[in-house]
Structure formats: structure tokens, C-alpha cells
Amino acid sequence: MTAAAPLLEARDLVMRFGDVTAVGGVSMTVGEGELRCLIGPNGAGKSTFFKMLSGQLRPTSGAVALRGRSIVGLPASRIARLGVGVKTQTPSVFDGLTVMESVRIATDALLPPQLARRRADEALERMRIPHLAGATVGLLAHGQRQLVELAMVVAQAPDLILLDEPAAGMTGVEVDRLGDLIVELARSSSVIVVEHDMAFIRRIARTVTVFNRGQVLAEGPAAEVMADARVRDVYLGKDAA
Amino acid sequence: MTVSLRSALGFAAIAAAAFYALVVVPQGGDLTTMINGSIYASYAILALSLALIWGYGGVLSFGQAAFFGLAGYVYAVAGLNLGDTALAALIAVASAAAFAALLGYFMFWGRVSDVYLGVITLTVSLILYRFINQTAGEEWTIGAAPLGGFNGIPSTPIMTALGKPDETLMPEQIYALSVGALVVCYLICRLVIATRFGRAVVAIRENPVRAELLGYDTRFYKLGIFTLGGAIAGVGGVAFANSVFVSPTMFNLQTNGQVIIWVIVGGLGTLAGPVIGCFAMLSLSTWLGSLDGGGWTDPNLVMGVVLTFCVVALRKGLLPTALGLGERLFAVARERMGAPKLGEPRAAEDRP
């Protein structure tokens, strides 16, 4: 581990499923405390890219390093313990448990009981859902389940947070709050967000990476990238140009 | 009803059941009652082991009787050779746990899916059944213990009093020991579920992918609960060996199927439910067998009807259904006592 190593460095990541190349050689570097947005049309390989970072998929080739340490081939649970938190595209929660029990599962994984309890309380406060602590997760609305999943991720205070479409299914007010929250999260962690909502991206992102057909099409400051003719072409459709 | 009240009531019910089984039943209990009671308790321990790994760990072992039978045979063979029955019992339970750990290692590290897990465990149990079934004859003798093939080992040693190898326990003592073992195993399960390990096991049952992403190596937790289930089934096997004697039926398809039925009828996701289901189904079966009702009281036929009824009408099983009913009555009673729901008129006073 060298002091100069960035938090996350992915190099030439390739993921093939049979004849289909979902991700065809993506490189990306994310620094400490960076807030990065990933955009791109459906099927561009964003979620597959996330799954390679989190250990859910083993890349066909390429390298992923966390602070200079290779994490390719490690089980997802090990990568989580190294400080990578993931919010999946559809809320992945514990339907049979209560909200508090779920968040305790998250904090218990890493912390001694007393601290785990406090951190769970804090996470619920942060998501503004302490009133749901005793509610069964399976009975909650979609947007609330998203918040429960986020609470579990945030409670572990990971160094790198991967958010796959966190705003999906949320109401306008919830989306606004979520935007504030993500900006706040980026003060203590690095965050990569996959989103489709352009207004949302403009609001939170400083750097945007555009995926298309499993490759990086463009990368740069949000305003610049969105003005890029190629990006407008593939992502917003030719009509928008 | 609050959780603590419910759990206190649960413990009171268990204590009452244990008191009834250990103090009331032996009073005037004849030999048949004692022996049947021991057999029921042994099977109930087996049901408890599946209740733990299936209901809480989400691991459906279709061959849970493999550990039950294995421990029984190890106990018989070790007991006949060593003479020390307490040591033999320990070795037997340890063997069942070790076998479960080995089998579990290959299944969980091989990422075998749920359906195949059921098939593998059942197959292992049936292989043991076939193997033991053909061990008749002189050549199948381990030290002083003839395996006996189809007939089992009628000379299975009965436990002796601790430190007194000549003092064989009486049937009522074996009964007390079996029921005691059931209570202890139940308490162990309750304790384990309440630990951090137990909560993680339940979370993994709920959503293994999420648990992995939060840093839990699900293989390790599944292996842990599966091994504990194997050990508990082993305790049941030793108790069974003392109640009757070991024979290949301990491993067979019927035994494996019955355990699953007890768990479903009693209530998957609870510990006491499957124990109740086991006692209820076995008592019913014994009673039916004593009747002379022609074909209509055939135990297998009636069991089939009961199972079908439970799956169709009592989908959650006996215990959860009863608890739900109790909770509703409790709520109605509270309302009548003058605690109306918010925004509702005090209906209780308007009625005669």
C-alpha cells in the first residue's frame, strides 16, 4: 500500500457473458472524498461494473485495487469488510426483519455491541426514519425500503459507497432529501452514483463518467460532459441536440 | 402483545410443558407410556434440529435423519466396545456434528442451491440406510458390536448411571433423560438464535446477497447452523438408541419425511411448533393404530389428510396459528375492558 494510491483504481475491466461483452475494458480512478456520477443508457454496463467492484461478479480480465490493494477474486463479504458499501438497483433488504434489526445486522458485522447500537441509531436519524425503527421492512413502501437499504450501507461508514439508482421509486421530496444526503455522505466517503435523472445528477455531481456499450464514452465535469455532442447523441437521444 | 410479554409467556409455557412431562406423566405412567414418551422425545429433538436449520437458517435438509441414525449407531458401537455409555454418547454427538460439518462444507463452499441441498442430504441418508441394511453377517462386526443389517443392534447398550457402569438406567429414568435433553436442546437453540451469530443466520435466510454485501460470509454461518443442527439431531439419535435400539429405519425415507411433516404441521419458523407437531402427530398415529376402524383409521391415511389440511388451511402451522388467534383474542379483550382504539366510540359500553 502506497500513500499515493487512489481509493479506487479499476484498470481495463472486462466482463463477458458467453459471447456478450457487458463491459469491454473500463478504467476508472476515484479519489478520497470524491462524488462521481455514472450515467449511460440501459445496458451500457453500469450495474455490471458495480458488481465487479463489489465482488458479486469476478471480472473476465482487468484489475481493481482499493488503496493499491488488489481485490479481484475476493468474496463480496471480504470486500465489504475492506470498506465498500453497496446499494443495489432494486432494494435488497431483509423483508422479515424490522428496520432496526436490519440496521443492527449492518453495524454488528463490524462493531462491538454498544457502538453498533449507537451507530444504528445514528444511521436511522440520518435517513430521517427513526419512527420506522420497529416496522417490518417487508411492509414498507418502495421509497422507504430504499432508505432502509441506504441506512444499512451508511451505518457501516464505508470508505467507498456504490449507489445504483438510489432515487428510483422515490417521491419528489424524498429525491431532494436524498440529493442533500449524498452530498453530505461524500464529505466522509467516496461515492459513486448510477442515476438516470439528469436534474438529480446536475444537482449532486462534480465529475460525471458516461458509459456506452460497455466502455467509457466521456469523463469530466458535469456541465462539460453534458454539453458533449457524443454524449447527447447516445444518452439524451438525437432530438435533444 | 409486546415482544417481552410474548417471550415470557413462551417460557412459562415451556416450563409448564416440561413440568407436566417430567413430573405429572411419570406418576402412574406404565412402561408403555414411558417407552413411547422416550421415543417421542427423541423424535422431537430431531424435529427441533430441523426447525432450527430450516426455520431459522433457511437450509432445508431432507435427510436430517442421517445425523440421527449415525449418532445412534456410533453410540451403540462405541458403547458396546468402550463400556462407558456417557463417553459413547459424547462421541456419538460429536460424530454427528463432524459429519454435518464435512457434508456442509462441501455443500456450502460448493454453493449448492437449495433444491440440490435437499436432494444431496436425502441421498446421503438413503445411502447410509442401504449400507446399514446390508450389514448382516459375521463380517460386519466392529469390535464387540455386530451391525446386524436389517435387524439393527438389539444389544444397544442402555445408559448407565454416571460413574456406576453396572447400574443401567430404568425406562422412567431414560424417559426423564430424553425429555431433559429435549428441554436443554430447546434452550440452546433459543440462546443461539438470540446471539449475534443467530441474528446473522436469520438475516442470511432473509436475503443472502444483502448479508454478503454487508460483510457476512454466508457459507460460514450456514455451516455453523447446519453443524449445530447435526449435533442436536445426534442427541436425538442417542436418546432414541436408549429408548428402543438402533436399526436402519432411523435413516429411512419415512423418518426423513416425517420430520419435515412435523415441522410444517407445527409451524416453520418456530422452535416449539415442530416439537408440538411431533408429539401431536406421533400420539395421533399411535392412537389410530390402536383403533380397529378398518381402512379408515389407517395412520398413514389420516396423517396424509392432516398434512393436507395443515398445508391448505393452517398455512403457518399449529403454533403460529394458535398464537395469532390468542393475540386477536387479547386485543378484543383489551378493547372490551375499556381501551378503545383512537377515534372510535367506546363500543364496549353500548353493548349489553
Side-chain angles (χ1 to χ4, degrees), chain B residues 236-317:
Chain B
V238 172
F240 184 86
N242 277 281
S243 311
V244 237
F245 59 85
V246 298
S247 66
T249 55
M250 289 177 85
F251 300 104
N252 70 7
L253 182 61
Q254 196 185 347
T255 307
N256 279 308
Q258 269 186 325
V259 197
I260 290 175
I261 294 172
W262 298 330
V263 174
I264 294 172
V265 169
L268 183 64
T270 66
L271 289 175
V275 172
I276 294 168
C278 170
F279 275 99
M281 298 290 274
L282 285 175
S283 310
L284 181 64
S285 179
T286 307
W287 178 69
L288 287 168
S290 71
L291 294 181
D292 184 21
W296 295 105
T297 55
D298 178 73
N300 285 330
L301 177 70
V302 177
M303 291 296 128
V305 173
V306 169
L307 176 66
T308 311
F309 174 75
C310 280
V311 171
V312 173
L314 300 180
R315 298 191 68 168
K316 289 178 168 174

Side-chain angles (χ1 to χ4, degrees), chain A residues 81 86 96 105 108 149 156, chain B residues 196 199 206 210 214-216:
Chain A
R81 285 174 178 277
V86 185
I105 290 290
D108 277 342
E149 193 184 16
Q156 292 194 323
Chain B
R196 179 191 167 282
R199 291 197 303 270
E206 287 292 315
R210 176 36 75 197
L214 289 175
Y216 292 93

Side-chain angles (χ1 to χ4, degrees), chain A residues 15 21-22 24 42 58 75 87 89 100 112 124 129 138-139 147 154 158 165 177 181 183 193 204-205 220 226 236:
Chain A
M15 186 74 228
T21 303
N42 284 329
R58 194 193 172 119
K87 195 223 143 305
Q89 194 170 354
M100 184 45 112
L124 293 188
I129 50 171
L139 302 176
L147 290 175
V154 168
E165 299 194 26
R177 268 198 216 152
L181 181 85
V183 172
V193 188
I204 61 168
M226 284 175 202
L236 302 171

Side-chain angles (χ1 to χ4, degrees), chain B residues 132-325:
Chain B
I132 288 293
N133 227 353
Q134 53 88 49
T135 54
E138 293 289 315
E139 67 274 29
W140 293 103
T141 303
I142 302 176
L147 290 181
F150 182 74
N151 296 318
I153 309 178
S155 60
T156 301
I158 305 293
M159 288 264 220
T160 54
L162 268 183
K164 295 174 191 161
D166 303 325
E167 211 174 290
T168 304
L169 296 183
M170 302 303 289
E172 57 268 25
Q173 290 169 310
I174 291 295
Y175 168 77
L177 205 59
S178 303
V179 174
L182 171 61
V183 173
V184 170
C185 286
Y186 171 81
L187 292 176
I188 289 174
C189 290
R190 285 290 291 254
L191 274 174
V192 166
I193 288 164
T195 60
R196 179 191 167 282
F197 172 82
R199 291 197 303 270
V201 164
V202 172
I204 290 165
R205 175 198 70 190
E206 287 292 315
N207 188 340
V209 173
R210 176 36 75 197
E212 283 273 350
L213 291 174
L214 289 175
Y216 292 93
D217 189 338
T218 56
R219 301 169 297 185
F220 170 78
Y221 288 87
K222 284 189 169 183
L223 181 65
I225 204 74
F226 190 70
T227 304
L228 179 61
I232 290 174
V235 173
V238 172
F240 184 86
N242 277 281
S243 311
V244 237
F245 59 85
V246 298
S247 66
T249 55
M250 289 177 85
F251 300 104
N252 70 7
L253 182 61
Q254 196 185 347
T255 307
N256 279 308
Q258 269 186 325
V259 197
I260 290 175
I261 294 172
W262 298 330
V263 174
I264 294 172
V265 169
L268 183 64
T270 66
L271 289 175
V275 172
I276 294 168
C278 170
F279 275 99
M281 298 290 274
L282 285 175
S283 310
L284 181 64
S285 179
T286 307
W287 178 69
L288 287 168
S290 71
L291 294 181
D292 184 21
W296 295 105
T297 55
D298 178 73
N300 285 330
L301 177 70
V302 177
M303 291 296 128
V305 173
V306 169
L307 176 66
T308 311
F309 174 75
C310 280
V311 171
V312 173
L314 300 180
R315 298 191 68 168
K316 289 178 168 174
L318 288 174
L319 185 64
T321 306
L323 284 177
L325 211 62

